[in-house]
Structure formats: C-alpha cells, structure tokens
Amino acid sequence: MFATRQRAGHIARKLPRAARSYASEAHGHHKAAEVNESFGKGSIATIAVFFGEVLFYQLIPKKGEDSSVTNLINKYLSRKEDWEETNALHTKAMEQAGYDRNLFENTSHKHRFVDVAYPEALQSHAARNIQAGHLLKLDHVVEHYKQKHLENEERKAKKLAEQKE
C-alpha cells in the first residue's frame, strides 16, 4: 500500500498544471494596488511585552524596601498594634464611665426628681376631639410619687447608716 501511494504522488507531480491568468492585468492597466499595511498583532504584542518588562523592572523594589503591592495590602490589614491601641482607649472610656456612674449614684438623693415614667402616660391618646375640661390635672399624682421616692431614699440611708455602725 505504501508503494502505491509513492507511485501516485510521483505521477501527480509530473502532470502539467494550468497557469492562472488574471483578467484585471490583461487589459494593459498596470496600476499598483493600494494596500493598507499595518504592523500586525505579533509586532504590537512584542512591543507591548518589551515596555511591560521595562515598567515591571522599574516598579520592583530595591533591596530593603517593601513593594508597592505589599504596602497597599498592609494599608488595609489590621495590625496588632492598632487593636492594642483601640482596646486601651475602650478600656479607658469604660473605666471613666464607671467612675462617673458611681459618682452620680452615690450622691444625695433628697433633691432628685423622679418621674413615674411621664405623667402623660396615664392619659396617652390622640389629642383630637377632646372636650373642654376632659383632661385631668396630675400634679397631685406626681407629688405623691415624689414623696414616696424621698421616703424610700431616707429609709435606705438609715439602713446603710445602721449597717456601717
């Protein structure tokens, strides 16, 4: 089978071939064809790779320096020192808040005014279509709870004084 292939190839090479003729050249008008030639994709890619390598080697950090990519990553990462500083500030603020609360809680309560919640809660409803004289005055209720609070504070103060003795 190999011999027949060789023989067929040999015969095909010896056959005469017809020459091509172009009709546009046959009339005697021999004007040069206008061709828009460009550099092509391969040459543009080669130039781009060259300038890319130059830029890459310009951006490589010198010995002992950090790269710009590493600096960018470290800029957005949280560091241990940052957390320590934040926690120290938070602890200081909590200690100050505790001190302030202790200061206000352990002062004299005789002149402290305590609301029930707010007196209007007893009459909370829409403020429309209210007849004249319909709303109650709650000053006596507020005064009652204020007196109760003062009595409770005096009782607590006496109890603490007895415990200290």
Side-chain angles (χ1 to χ4, degrees), residues 33-83:
E34 293 181 21
V35 179
N36 185 12
E37 295 182 3
S38 67
F39 285 109
K41 294 179 184 175
S43 58
I44 292 175
T46 304
I47 293 170
V49 167
F50 173 74
F51 283 113
E53 286 178 357
V54 169
L55 182 64
F56 176 74
Y57 283 111
Q58 289 292 327
L59 295 177
I60 289 179
K62 311 296 186 267
K63 288 189 178 182
E65 291 181 1
D66 288 337
S67 69
S68 57
V69 175
T70 306
N71 289 337
L72 183 66
I73 291 171
N74 288 338
K75 181 178 172 184
Y76 292 103
L77 287 179
S78 60
R79 295 189 312 264
K80 185 178 178 183
E81 298 84 24
D82 294 340
W83 280 106

Side-chain angles (χ1 to χ4, degrees), residues 67-160:
S67 69
S68 57
V69 175
T70 306
N71 289 337
L72 183 66
I73 291 171
N74 288 338
K75 181 178 172 184
Y76 292 103
L77 287 179
S78 60
R79 295 189 312 264
K80 185 178 178 183
E81 298 84 24
D82 294 340
W83 280 106
E84 287 175 359
E85 183 180 345
T86 303
N87 289 339
L89 289 172
H90 185 260
T91 303
K92 188 175 179 182
M94 288 290 104
E95 288 173 354
Q96 185 64 39
Y99 173 77
D100 292 344
R101 181 177 179 152
N102 190 24
L103 182 69
F104 289 121
E105 290 291 326
N106 294 328
T107 57
S108 172
H109 297 294
K110 290 202 177 218
H111 301 294
R112 195 167 105 182
F113 176 74
V114 177
D115 282 335
V116 176
Y118 53 97
E120 295 82 18
L122 299 174
Q123 301 174 348
S124 63
H125 51 77
R128 54 181 180 263
N129 298 329
I130 298 176
Q131 298 172 0
H134 182 70
L135 295 177
L136 299 175
K137 294 192 184 218
L138 299 175
D139 294 339
H140 64 283
V141 176
V142 173
E143 190 61 36
H144 169 74
Y145 281 105
K146 190 174 182 182
Q147 291 301 323
K148 265 185 126 173
H149 172 71
L150 290 175
E151 289 171 7
N152 281 340
E153 290 300 320
E154 287 176 10
R155 183 182 53 81
K156 289 177 188 176
K158 285 180 187 175
K159 196 173 185 180
L160 282 174

Side-chain angles (χ1 to χ4, degrees), residues 20-30:
R20 283 186 155 174
S21 64
Y22 299 99
S24 63
E25 295 177 2
H27 298 292
H29 303 290
H30 296 287

